[in-house]
Amino acid sequence: MSIERIAQIAGVSKATVSRAINNPSIVKPETVEKVNKALEEISYKPRIKKTLSVNIYFNKISLVIHSSVLQPHSFYFTIYEHLKNEAKKFGLTIETIIMRSDNEISSAIKKVKNSETVIIAGITNTELNNIAFELNIPTVMINCFDDLMRLSSISPDYELGGYLLGKATVNNGYRKPKILTTIPRLTIQQRVDGFFRAMKMEEISFEYARDVIDIRTYADTTTLELMNNDTAGQDFGSSLIMDKIVESGVFDDCDVVFCICDLMAISLIQSLKSKNISVPKDIAVVGFDDLEISSLVTPSLTTIRPAYESLAKSAIYKLIHLSNDVQEPTVRSYTEVSYIERKSL
């Protein structure tokens, strides 16, 4: 019996019939009752959906992860905790390989060669990617990418996050924004691009050369080396030079600053407060990552929250599919993000 006939008997549209059958909670109770009576009249029997079962052909995941995982409540610590929880649901164990510097790559590669499956989180190393690809080890990258896209990767939708922050600043009446950023790797550049897109769509005056500030330009030689090697800390070394940046007067002509991570934003707030510059009265500040500390600082930080649980689930599901099918497509996928408004905006 066709859906058209059911709709005719119930006196509703075909779309309403579909909703009443598949998602009755969004349909008025009286309408659901009409549809159910029509179904009874024609002795309707729902079609049983077939499910696809997938076997798990491995017991252990080798997790090669950024060294900031050692710092509680950091971005990678949060990802690690969610990965552990998801792995446990499938009876899987995780072997953690912490990368503190590129000097440890040989040791990491040796372990990866003997791995059943691999997750690479926050580590960009061509040699490591080459080994995983050449040995055909089921591998998923989180928050980093293989430039040749031979390995699947999953990241938060950073561009959307930047866009949501940009829209929020405009909606709150701010018109003179600046961005505080650092090394232009893809996961960072996407945040900047999203914010820039929002400014363009809202017709707000915004120029890269004038309004995007790379903190590295204020660093001395030693600090710059740490920054470029990604060993300057979770805040990209911003706390080491933030007072110098603020004292330069670069924020004198702006009313809101988007920092590309929460810890950089917190460093900025602390520096501004030490100079009796009120946040958000004098300058608003927004961040990205929604770390636990972001709700505890004063003022609490407006930010973007990645879906950490979705990142972990997606990575492990992809590993399972890769272990079942060597021809599983290589994808670069993004998980949802959400805007969290607090007191700094």
Side-chain angles (χ1 to χ4, degrees):
M1 183 65 68
S2 68
I3 195 170
E4 288 89 350
R5 178 59 178 154
I6 300 169
Q8 185 179 18
I9 295 172
V12 298
S13 68
K14 292 186 291 182
T16 300
V17 171
S18 178
R19 288 193 292 269
I21 294 172
N22 298 304
N23 196 2
S25 63
I26 65 172
V27 181
K28 292 180 179 179
E30 57 267 29
T31 303
V32 173
E33 185 177 354
K34 287 181 182 179
V35 173
N36 287 337
K37 285 182 178 179
L39 295 175
E40 291 174 6
E41 182 178 330
I42 64 173
S43 300
Y44 172 81
K45 293 183 180 180
R47 181 181 298 170
I48 298 175
K49 295 181 180 180
K50 295 182 179 179
T51 58
L52 179 64
S53 61
V54 179
N55 295 319
I56 300 178
Y57 293 107
F58 58 94
N59 297 305
K60 186 170 69 174
I61 301 169
S62 295
L63 173 63
V64 186
I65 192 165
H66 192 277
S67 60
S68 64
V69 68
L70 296 171
Q71 302 174 33
H73 313 302
S74 67
F75 178 84
Y76 287 107
F77 177 87
T78 306
I79 288 177
Y80 173 65
E81 289 295 302
H82 283 286
L83 282 171
K84 280 201 308 182
N85 292 338
E86 292 303 317
K88 186 177 181 180
K89 294 176 184 178
F90 293 100
L92 301 170
T93 60
I94 292 182
E95 174 195 25
T96 307
I97 305 168
I98 299 173
M99 287 283 296
R100 296 175 179 82
S101 70
D102 283 343
N103 295 330
E104 299 178 340
I105 191 62
S106 297
S107 175
I109 287 175
K110 184 176 180 179
K111 293 177 181 178
V112 164
K113 285 180 177 179
N114 297 310
S115 298
E116 296 178 87
T117 62
V118 176
I119 291 177
I120 301 172
I123 303 298
T124 302
N125 186 281
T126 302
E127 188 178 358
L128 178 62
N129 295 352
N130 289 345
I131 291 297
F133 173 73
E134 291 166 4
L135 297 181
N136 202 26
I137 303 169
T139 301
V140 176
M141 308 183 76
I142 297 179
N143 210 50
C144 51
F145 307 94
D146 177 44
D147 289 338
L148 301 178
M149 205 168 169
R150 299 164 300 176
L151 305 175
S152 290
S153 61
I154 300 166
S155 295
D157 192 337
Y158 287 116
E159 199 277 343
L160 176 60
Y163 175 79
L164 292 175
L165 282 173
K167 288 280 289 185
T169 62
V170 175
N171 291 341
N172 279 276
Y174 297 96
R175 294 294 183 271
K176 296 182 288 183
K178 288 189 185 292
I179 297 177
L180 208 53
T181 187
T182 184
I183 307 169
R185 61 180 180 230
L186 185 56
T187 56
I188 291 175
Q189 188 59 44
Q190 287 172 334
R191 308 173 207 202
V192 176
D193 292 344
F195 193 93
F196 181 72
R197 177 165 67 95
M199 296 302 102
K200 285 294 185 182
M201 292 188 67
E202 297 295 330
E203 297 183 344
I204 300 297
S205 176
F206 188 88
E207 298 177 11
Y208 263 87
R210 181 190 66 199
D211 299 320
V212 178
I213 303 159
D214 188 334
I215 65 172
R216 294 176 299 167
T217 60
Y218 293 86
D220 58 33
T221 303
T222 302
T223 304
L224 181 60
E225 184 176 358
L226 293 173
M227 291 175 169
N228 288 336
N229 291 333
D230 199 17
T231 55
Q234 296 180 71
D235 67 349
F236 300 100
S238 60
S239 58
L240 302 174
I241 56 173
M242 192 60 75
D243 286 342
K244 182 178 180 181
I245 296 174
V246 173
E247 289 165 3
S248 74
V250 70
F251 300 127
D252 290 351
D253 61 344
C254 77
D255 55 9
V256 60
V257 182
F258 166 35
C259 299
I260 52 85
C261 72
D262 281 0
L263 292 179
M264 186 182 291
I266 292 170
S267 292
L268 175 58
I269 289 173
Q270 291 173 337
S271 180
L272 291 171
K273 288 171 67 175
S274 72
K275 295 166 178 54
N276 296 317
I277 300 172
S278 175
V279 177
K281 182 179 178 181
D282 299 322
I283 299 177
V285 179
V286 297
F288 205 115
D289 288 337
D290 194 30
L291 302 179
E292 185 173 326
I293 192 176
S294 303
S295 63
L296 304 176
V297 296
T298 303
S300 56
L301 184 64
T302 294
T303 186
I304 292 293
R305 177 172 177 78
Y308 293 104
E309 183 177 351
S310 292
L311 280 171
K313 281 184 177 180
S314 299
I316 291 178
Y317 289 176
K318 186 63 176 178
L319 277 185
I320 292 171
H321 283 281
L322 285 168
S323 70
N324 275 266
D325 183 2
V326 294
Q327 295 184 329
E328 173 80 1
T330 300
V331 298
R332 182 173 289 179
S333 55
Y334 298 95
T335 55
E336 67 270 29
V337 296
S338 53
Y339 171 69
I340 308 296
E341 183 162 329
R342 297 195 180 104
K343 300 297 184 180
S344 67
L345 184 66

